[in-house]
């Protein structure tokens, strides 16, 4: 059984229920192909390198699992058919050493802080005028 990680990017305006539905579909594929689900991490909303379907931001989700090649084909087919998924990438990490799980303090603090600074700048200009 090989080790894989998949990062998929969802539309940033999805609510928690819609994200949960997509995550459940991904986990169902892994379970149906007798894969071994390791973990799913929500990396939050981040700025994309370039706009995808008119979205400048996307919600990143990291998935770590073990399984076979048939499972990867089915997982990527389902992600490709879902309109809420902007992009996905699966990487075989069987030969890579296992990385320890880093503890997160505030995954969304950076993007929100950047937006607050951007939003605050025009307000300060209008206050001085």
């Amino acid at each position: 059984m090989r080790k894989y990680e998949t990062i998929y990017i969802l539309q940033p305006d999805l609510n928690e229920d819609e994200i949960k539905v997509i995550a459940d579909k991904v986990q169902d594929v892994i379970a149906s192909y007798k894969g071994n689900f390791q973990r799913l991490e929500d990396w939050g909303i981040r700025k994309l390198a370039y706009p995808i379907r008119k979205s400048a931001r996307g919600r990143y989700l990291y998935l770590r699992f073990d399984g076979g090649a048939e499972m990867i084909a089915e997982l990527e087919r389902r992600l490709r058919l879902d309109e809420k998924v902007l992009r996905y990438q699966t990487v075989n990490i069987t030969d890579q050493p296992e990385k320890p799980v880093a503890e997160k303090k505030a995954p969304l603090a950076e993007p929100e802080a950047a937006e607050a600074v951007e939003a605050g700048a025009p307000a300060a200009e209008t206050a001085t005028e």
Side-chain angles (χ1 to χ4, degrees):
M1 195 172 280
R2 295 182 177 167
K3 299 176 183 176
Y4 293 97
E5 62 184 15
T6 298
I7 295 176
Y8 55 98
I9 306 171
L10 303 177
Q11 295 174 346
D13 56 348
L14 297 179
N15 62 35
E16 295 300 321
D17 292 336
E18 292 171 316
I19 294 169
K20 177 88 170 123
V21 167
I22 295 171
D24 288 343
K25 286 181 183 178
V26 168
Q27 292 181 15
D28 287 345
V29 170
I30 294 170
S32 66
Y33 282 83
K34 297 181 176 145
N36 187 12
F37 175 79
Q38 298 291 322
R39 67 179 187 265
L40 177 67
E41 296 177 11
D42 185 356
W43 289 356
I45 297 174
R46 297 176 180 213
K47 185 177 178 183
L48 301 173
Y50 53 88
I52 301 172
R53 288 187 230 155
K54 299 182 181 179
S55 291
R57 296 185 175 267
R59 179 177 288 267
Y60 284 67
L61 287 115
Y62 170 84
L63 176 66
R64 168 70 182 85
F65 57 97
D66 301 336
E70 304 86 29
M71 180 178 62
I72 301 303
E74 179 63 18
L75 177 65
E76 290 189 344
R77 185 185 77 80
R78 291 199 188 184
L79 289 174
R80 182 175 46 250
L81 293 175
D82 197 330
E83 294 180 0
K84 297 171 187 162
V85 178
L86 298 175
R87 288 285 189 271
Y88 58 88
Q89 180 74 52
T90 301
V91 178
N92 181 354
I93 58 167
T94 304
D95 298 333
Q96 303 288 324
E98 190 72 28
K99 295 179 183 174
V101 177
E103 292 185 27
K104 288 185 170 183
K105 294 181 181 176
L108 298 177
E110 185 176 329
E112 291 177 358
E115 290 176 5
V117 170
E118 291 173 5
E125 292 175 7
T126 57
T128 57
E129 290 178 358

